[in-house]
Amino acid sequence: QVHLVESGGGLVQAGDPLTLSCVASGESINRYALGWFRQAPGKEREFLAAINWSGTNTYYADSVKGRFTISRDNAKNMVYLQMDSLKPEDTGVYFCVSGITLAAIVGSSGSKSWGQGTQVTVSS
């Protein structure tokens, strides 16, 4: 089983950039799709971005398309989320996730492994 740990969250001002990292252990992520979700207080967990095993295909939610970029480094067992032009509504707990396919990441069905989350707070 894949164990995921996020880092890089913090308090930033609106308009600032921030990059989150997630390291995997337990097994190689070479053949897993990876992704990022976030959850604001009182709201359901929201899909943000996903990347296939080789990094050749990506998929983004409309709310972050053009502002966020997902990438991965299989040699380091890591996935990243680069966030630009942050807005107060981006505030929430950010989670990385692994799955068998991009569809498994994006959809509600399919097995996923979750990290513990890292807090991102964007001030006005």
Side-chain angles (χ1 to χ4, degrees):
Q1 296 182 355
V2 178
H3 179 63
L4 303 168
V5 179
E6 303 93 336
S7 63
L11 175 63
V12 298
Q13 288 185 298
D16 283 355
L18 191 67
T19 298
L20 306 180
S21 301
C22 175
V23 62
S25 62
E27 62 180 299
S28 174
I29 60 166
N30 285 357
R31 297 294 178 175
Y32 286 94
L34 299 167
W36 291 90
F37 285 69
R38 69 185 177 196
Q39 188 167 24
K43 297 183 179 180
E44 65 182 21
R45 197 165 293 186
E46 175 190 16
F47 167 77
L48 299 176
I51 188 167
N52 75 327
W53 73 271
S54 65
T56 56
N57 291 317
T58 58
Y59 182 76
Y60 297 92
D62 288 342
S63 61
V64 302
K65 193 175 299 181
R67 295 193 299 125
F68 290 13
T69 303
I70 188 170
S71 61
R72 64 189 295 163
D73 186 338
N74 287 351
K76 296 181 178 179
N77 261 15
M78 295 190 72
V79 61
Y80 308 93
L81 186 68
Q82 180 181 327
M83 305 182 291
D84 295 320
S85 301
L86 283 166
K87 307 171 183 178
E89 52 262 44
D90 292 320
T91 294
V93 178
Y94 283 66
F95 301 87
C96 65
V97 61
S98 66
I100 298 299
T101 63
L102 279 171
I105 297 294
V106 176
S108 59
S109 300
S111 181
K112 300 182 183 69
S113 294
W114 297 89
Q116 85 290 347
T118 185
Q119 177 71 42
V120 174
T121 303
V122 184
S123 64
S124 300

